[in-house]
């Protein structure tokens, strides 16, 4: 099946209409085939305006949220990005399309290994995925130019802000399990400048600096 038209419609109706403007983000969203990141039974719905199940009671995020969070990261070429919550690997692929070196952590082994296989078969080699608790970051690979968290945290995990370079960006949902605020933090010397973007609903970030299981 060729879903090029469905992808173009997704970009026009879900992304551009809602204010996503960064040309490279839009190009990446046009190129990455979202249907390849979900089971075949969901291919017909892969370009809809919603999240979809990916197993282990987890979801691939809504395309708009992926585009918005990517845009907020303000990535330059070859930047080092830490992603918490690999899930299907779709967001990882979008980051890799932008030329980032992506270090991604997923707590479910089955999801991590499916995402790794998918990304390898699609030719994304600047991606490193490991199984573990991403709420404490990836100290051995720090610091990062940007950090993106694809799951809702109860508070801002201090380990993550510590693992940013100066001027580094952290984008994450923070709040209650049923509803969070998407926040962007920019590190300026010893402090972080925070902006609240919009309300959102993500699955829980489970871990030492997240929720209990
Ligand atoms: N952006 C992903 C995609 O494109 O498919 C979807 C992310 S999904 C909404 C959130 C993911 O975060 C889930 O796969 C979940 O298992 C993972 N997760 C939750 N807490 C985590 C943690 N502490 N460390 C790593 N992964 C975690």
């Amino acid at each position: 099946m060729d879903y090029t038209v469905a992808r173009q419609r997704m970009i026009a109706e879900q992304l551009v209409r809602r204010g996503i403007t960064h040309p490279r983000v839009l190009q990446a969203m046009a190129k990455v085939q979202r249907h390849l990141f979900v089971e075949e039974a969901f291919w017909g719905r892969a370009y809809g305006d919603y999240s979809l199940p990916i197993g282990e009671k987890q979801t691939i995020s809504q395309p708009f949220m992926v585009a918005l969070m990517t845009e907020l990261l303000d990535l330059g070429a070859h930047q080092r990005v830490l992603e918490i919550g690999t899930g299907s690997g779709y967001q990882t692929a979008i980051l890799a399309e932008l030329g980032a070196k992506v270090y991604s952590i997923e707590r479910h082994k089955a999801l991590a290994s499916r995402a790794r296989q998918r990304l390898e078969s699609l030719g994304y080699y600047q991606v490193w995925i490991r199984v573990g608790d991403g709420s404490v970051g990836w100290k051995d690979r720090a610091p990062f130019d940007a950090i993106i968290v694809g799951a809702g945290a109860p508070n801002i995990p201090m380990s993550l802000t510590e693992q940013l370079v100066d001027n580094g960006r952290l984008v994450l949902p923070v709040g209650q399990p049923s509803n969070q605020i998407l926040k962007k933090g920019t590190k300026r010397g010893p402090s972080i400048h925070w902006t609240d973007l919009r309300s959102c609903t993500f699955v829980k970030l489970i871990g030492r600096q997240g929720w209990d299981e």
Side-chain angles (χ1 to χ4, degrees):
M1 279 294 280
D2 184 358
Y3 289 104
T4 310
V5 174
R7 255 191 323 278
Q8 290 301 343
R9 195 178 309 135
M10 170 187 90
I11 285 166
E13 293 173 6
Q14 300 170 38
L15 309 188
V16 175
R17 193 174 286 175
R18 289 193 186 121
I20 304 293
T21 55
H22 196 301
R24 290 182 61 234
V25 173
L26 293 171
Q27 270 165 24
M29 297 291 294
K31 184 167 174 199
V32 178
Q33 303 186 71
R34 189 172 187 256
H35 66 278
L36 299 180
F37 293 80
V38 294
E39 281 180 26
E40 202 166 344
F42 294 112
W43 283 12
R45 301 173 58 199
Y47 299 97
D49 191 15
Y50 31 70
S51 54
L52 287 169
I54 55 170
E56 311 293 338
K57 298 187 185 152
Q58 304 302 320
T59 54
I60 181 173
S61 307
Q62 179 198 26
F64 170 65
M65 218 23 103
V66 171
L68 176 62
M69 291 175 83
T70 308
E71 192 170 69
L72 289 168
L73 291 178
D74 272 333
L75 291 179
H78 314 301
Q79 292 209 312
R80 292 160 51 79
V81 180
L82 175 65
E83 178 190 31
I84 316 299
T86 319
S88 67
Y90 176 65
Q91 171 76 76
T92 323
I94 297 290
L95 296 169
E97 278 295 335
L98 291 174
K101 292 184 174 179
V102 192
Y103 298 84
S104 188
I105 309 176
E106 170 56 54
R107 64 186 288 272
H108 286 289
K109 196 174 170 190
L111 294 182
S113 79
R114 276 205 291 276
R116 196 180 286 120
Q117 278 169 21
R118 235 176 234 137
L119 291 162
E120 267 174 28
S121 71
L122 291 169
Y124 295 107
Y125 299 116
Q126 297 284 74
V127 167
W128 294 268
I129 296 175
R130 82 166 172 81
V131 178
D133 175 10
S135 72
V136 294
W138 193 336
K139 214 171 173 184
D140 296 351
R141 296 287 182 272
F144 301 98
D145 298 294
I147 301 179
I148 177 170
V149 184
N155 300 296
I156 293 153
M158 291 313 291
S159 302
L160 300 187
T161 55
E162 283 164 13
Q163 292 177 25
L164 278 177
V165 299
D166 197 26
N167 285 318
R169 289 82 58 201
L170 168 60
V171 174
L172 82 170
V174 181
Q176 295 307 307
S178 57
N179 187 254
Q180 306 98 33
I181 301 289
L182 186 66
K183 288 178 174 280
K184 174 177 176 175
T186 305
K187 193 162 181 169
R188 303 245 165 82
S191 56
I192 310 264
H193 172 79
W194 287 103
T195 313
D196 286 359
L197 279 313
R198 58 181 292 134
S199 143
C200 57
T201 305
F202 280 79
V203 297
K204 287 197 285 188
L205 180 77
I206 294 173
R208 268 185 283 164
Q209 294 193 27
W211 296 96
D212 292 336
E213 198 156 355

